[in-house]
Amino acid sequence: MKRPSGPFLLLGLLLILPLMLRDAYYQHLMILVLMWVAIGSGWNLISGYTGQVLFGAAAFFGFGAYTAALLSSKLGVSAWWGLPLGGILSVAIAFPFGWICFRLRGPYFALATLALNEIFRHVATIWESLTDGMIGILVMQTFISKLPYYYVALAIAILSIVTVDVVMRSRWGYYFVSIREDQDAAESMGIDTLYYKMLSLCISAFLIGIAGALYTNYMGFIDPKVVFSLHEISIMAILVGIVGGVGTIYGPLVGAFIMVAVQEIFRTGGFGILHFIGQSTGWPFMSGVIKYVSEAHVLSFGILVIVVILFLPNGIVGDWSLIRKFLIKSKKPAV
Amino acid sequence: MAFFEVQGIVKFFGGLAAVNGVSFEVKEGEICGLIGPNGSGKTTIFNLINGYFPLTKGEIQFQDEKISELKTHQICQRGVGRTFQVVKPLKRMTVLDNVIASAFLRHHPRSDAIKLAEETIEFCGLTHYKDKIAKSLPIASRKRLEITRALATQPKLILLDETAAGLNPHELEEAITLIKKIRDSGITIIIVEHIMKVIMTISDHIVAINHGMVIAKGTPAGVVSNPEVIKAYFGEDYRA
Ligand SMILES: Nc1ncnc2c1ncn2[C@@H]1O[C@H](COP(=O)(O)OP(=O)(O)O)[C@@H](O)[C@H]1O
Ligand SMILES: [Mg+2]
């Protein structure tokens, strides 16, 4: 990543990828990956760089998603307006929320985001006159082809990575990391820690809110259970953040790729391998195994968090030199 | 009005009066030594000046402004820098980045902040460690990093809390030289130090405290020969 040509090569690859990868299923997965790059980048800014763990990313994701959906269902405006508006309204939530929660240090912020997540989920479920509750909201999709969605998602992913990169090179970035490393030191260096924590959270909420609005436009349907989901969104966001590498610019990209793949492996039972084994061997218990595997992904997510924290505390990007050393070492005896 | 003035400050931790009615003033450009046995309240006084703890009672004035109602970062913005006795390096950042983060307070384009940071690092003799991660530094250099970071906020008054503790004789000489250099650059200093050699050679005036109260004030020679101070340091039975 040190060579400046790296990002451009990557960008070029991502630009032509859907033209080579014509299978709609893989295009769908790539769109999800790009959406998760935005969410992961947002999470990474407030949690990885600023050190304030965001447990309830779904609060902002779902808020962005509902903004887009309600624009269309209630106001008859194109749900695409949800992209900017979902981001801006998420900031409008993040601002007072941060103002209240960041006065306290320690785990209060993390827990409060979890609470916000749950409050929003309940409100979206109960306020049926607005949201249709559990029934959810259907939004007419604009395109049949996946390509336009792919490029919109790519633009959002690029926006996220560039935003985080630019911010982290600026004074704000220095302040965020200072706050993460030691709040007392930061305060005595003249840094208004409350203000800069709020600023970091607002940028995060903006990126995550946009990703939520993208989800509505792309999937064409949302309900509270999905977009405010604790494990599908909030915990997944943490995983995307830490698997790739906490506090690294490209960590969320790597994390998004791996986590969408992992999620998909579980959802499909190893891309159908288990099905295949079950069918070809005729073992009756395989259908049970398949069912458990596809439902065990919440558990496996937890295990993955532990494994990553134990062996790669800085994630795949952050510990890349460690991984390389390990690979080279383990190759040598074979030679 | 004095450049810097502490008026009857009191700090209670539960029932314990860590600081109990301390008053003193510091003139612009001088070095004020704050001495006292362990646990006498010196660090707490710094934490009160710096706004890290709220005052129980009293008032602190800096350049005709009551700073005791401001927040820590605002007090720093007014021109009061500090170091921590228990050092607080920004561990996973390089020395340079530690200091750049500080320099941003008064120098906005990043290039300006970097320039000031590099000058300050040079001034404090940390150039050799510039690109090292802060947590990898030996303790003497960490103490120096504390000073460097405080200086990069360009304070008018700096509070140094035992920055010479645990240094070997050679490092001690360097520390004294640095403190004098800071004074010569026009920065007023309040310094807490146990090592009498340091305090005696550099202070213009000394405030001695015990049990959170001022027991003597004045010139270094006067304070050190004060019977109260001798008693506080060496106990009742000590005969000179
Ligand atoms: N945060 C705190 N909470 C409770 N007691 C404290 C706190 N900080 C200091 N003290 C107490 O206040 C007294 C003065 O401590 P301190 O200012 O650190 O002394 P010094 O720096 O002179 O060695 C001690 O008795 C100490 O135990
Ligand atoms: Mg102390």
Side-chain angles (χ1 to χ4, degrees), chain A:
Chain A
M1 297 294 174
K2 267 185 197 126
R3 280 167 305 158
S5 59
F8 290 103
L9 278 175
L10 186 69
L11 179 60
L13 183 71
L14 286 172
L15 277 171
I16 55 167
L17 190 67
L19 305 177
M20 303 188 306
L21 214 66
R22 290 180 160 275
D23 189 323
Y25 174 63
Y26 290 108
Q27 288 181 351
H28 165 71
L29 290 185
M30 278 311 295
I31 293 169
L32 290 185
V33 167
L34 293 170
M35 180 188 87
W36 277 106
V37 170
I39 301 169
S41 296
W43 184 89
N44 195 28
L45 190 68
I46 182 68
S47 303
Y49 283 111
T50 319
Q52 314 300 309
V53 180
L54 174 61
F55 257 123
F60 302 121
F61 180 83
F63 200 80
Y66 266 93
T67 303
L70 291 173
L71 277 178
S72 149
S73 74
K74 291 288 161 189
L75 301 177
V77 180
S78 161
W80 288 108
W81 284 107
L83 288 185
L85 262 175
I88 292 165
L89 290 181
S90 289
V91 172
I93 295 292
F95 190 85
F97 178 78
W99 193 77
I100 295 166
C101 296
F102 282 139
R103 279 156 202 281
L104 300 169
R105 293 188 192 176
Y108 297 102
F109 170 74
L111 294 177
T113 63
L114 199 61
L116 188 72
N117 190 162
E118 288 304 280
I119 290 168
F120 279 179
R121 192 163 60 82
H122 283 293
V123 169
T125 310
I126 295 162
W127 196 350
E128 289 183 345
S129 61
L130 184 72
T131 64
D132 274 333
M134 290 300 278
I135 298 164
I137 301 176
L138 205 61
V139 173
M140 275 300 282
Q141 278 166 304
T142 321
F143 309 106
I144 295 165
S145 157
K146 299 227 178 276
L147 278 186
Y149 293 108
Y150 177 89
Y151 286 109
V152 173
L154 181 60
I156 292 171
I158 293 169
L159 171 81
S160 307
I161 288 190
V162 169
T163 302
V164 173
D165 194 28
V166 168
V167 164
M168 289 316 299
R169 287 171 198 277
S170 74
R171 180 164 61 115
W172 294 358
Y174 279 85
Y175 282 7
F176 293 166
V177 177
S178 302
I179 290 168
R180 176 188 77 193
E181 292 298 306
D182 196 310
Q183 283 202 53
D184 294 335
E187 273 285 323
S188 70
M189 287 154 66
I191 300 170
D192 184 346
T193 54
L194 173 63
Y195 174 85
Y196 283 99
K197 282 189 282 187
M198 283 169 66
L199 186 63
S200 175
L201 179 65
C202 285
I203 300 170
S204 289
F206 184 73
L207 298 177
I208 297 172
I210 291 179
L214 170 70
Y215 182 89
T216 301
N217 278 286
Y218 173 55
M219 301 302 277
F221 171 75
I222 61 166
D223 71 22
K225 220 172 55 208
V226 173
V227 296
F228 289 116
S229 164
L230 213 53
H231 68 265
E232 303 259 356
I233 307 293
S234 292
I235 296 183
M236 177 84 166
I238 299 174
L239 276 164
V240 169
I242 68 173
V243 167
V246 168
T248 57
I249 299 290
Y250 291 99
L253 181 69
V254 175
F257 206 86
I258 291 174
M259 286 316 299
V260 168
V262 168
Q263 200 177 36
E264 204 53 22
I265 287 169
F266 277 103
R267 204 180 59 79
T268 58
F271 291 116
I273 287 175
L274 291 179
H275 258 290
F276 177 76
I277 295 172
Q279 268 166 8
S280 53
T281 57
W283 291 335
F285 61 84
M286 275 318 277
S287 66
V289 171
I290 292 164
K291 187 166 156 286
Y292 279 118
V293 165
S294 56
E295 279 177 7
H297 78 276
V298 181
L299 174 70
S300 67
F301 274 21
I303 294 171
L304 201 63
V305 172
I306 294 169
V307 169
V308 169
I309 289 174
L310 279 183
F311 297 107
L312 298 171
N314 301 311
I316 290 170
V317 173
D319 279 331
W320 183 239
S321 57
L322 216 83
I323 296 170
R324 231 172 45 185
K325 232 188 269 167
F326 178 76
L327 290 178
I328 291 167
K329 250 192 220 151
S330 58
K331 254 184 217 158
K332 263 184 192 155
V335 173

Side-chain angles (χ1 to χ4, degrees), chain B residues 33-205:
Chain B
L34 191 58
I35 64 169
N38 265 327
S40 57
K42 304 178 297 295
T43 298
T44 307
I45 291 176
F46 276 9
N47 284 333
L48 293 171
I49 296 173
N50 165 249
Y52 184 63
F53 293 142
L55 284 167
T56 307
K57 234 171 92 182
E59 209 175 295
I60 300 168
Q61 300 270 350
F62 178 63
Q63 292 194 312
D64 302 328
E65 187 185 9
K66 185 172 167 183
I67 59 166
S68 40
E69 275 163 4
L70 300 178
K71 298 213 180 72
T72 300
H73 64 90
Q74 293 169 321
I75 292 171
C76 178
Q77 282 159 9
R78 298 298 191 280
V80 180
R82 81 165 289 183
T83 68
F84 289 93
Q85 179 181 354
V86 180
V87 292
K88 292 181 187 288
L90 307 175
K91 291 204 188 87
R92 287 176 288 177
M93 291 164 82
T94 64
V95 166
L96 181 62
D97 284 344
N98 265 263
V99 185
I100 290 173
S102 248
F104 267 125
L105 182 64
R106 291 184 220 283
H107 292 261
H108 278 235
R110 185 161 170 251
S111 53
D112 276 17
I114 294 175
K115 189 162 159 281
L116 173 66
E118 282 179 335
E119 284 167 11
T120 316
I121 287 172
E122 173 94 51
F123 180 86
C124 295
L126 270 182
T127 310
H128 177 60
Y129 290 108
K130 198 175 81 175
D131 298 317
K132 291 251 162 35
I133 297 295
K135 72 172 167 192
S136 73
L137 297 191
I139 183 67
S141 306
R142 284 194 208 193
K143 296 236 164 186
R144 203 157 269 237
L145 174 58
E146 286 281 315
I147 302 176
T148 315
R149 217 172 47 194
L151 285 178
T153 65
Q154 299 194 311
K156 295 178 199 122
L157 171 70
I158 192 168
L159 316 175
L160 303 176
D161 197 350
E162 302 205 18
T163 47
L167 304 189
N168 66 36
H170 174 67
E171 291 164 343
L172 205 59
E173 282 307 321
E174 286 181 345
I176 294 173
T177 314
L178 177 59
I179 293 164
K180 284 181 175 159
K181 254 169 64 181
I182 294 170
R183 192 248 337 258
D184 294 341
S185 72
I187 298 170
T188 309
I189 301 174
I190 305 179
I191 180 168
V192 166
E193 204 55 71
H194 270 303
I195 305 161
M196 277 299 162
K197 183 185 165 204
V198 178
I199 279 287
M200 294 292 290
T201 48
I202 59 178
S203 304
D204 296 301
H205 125 232

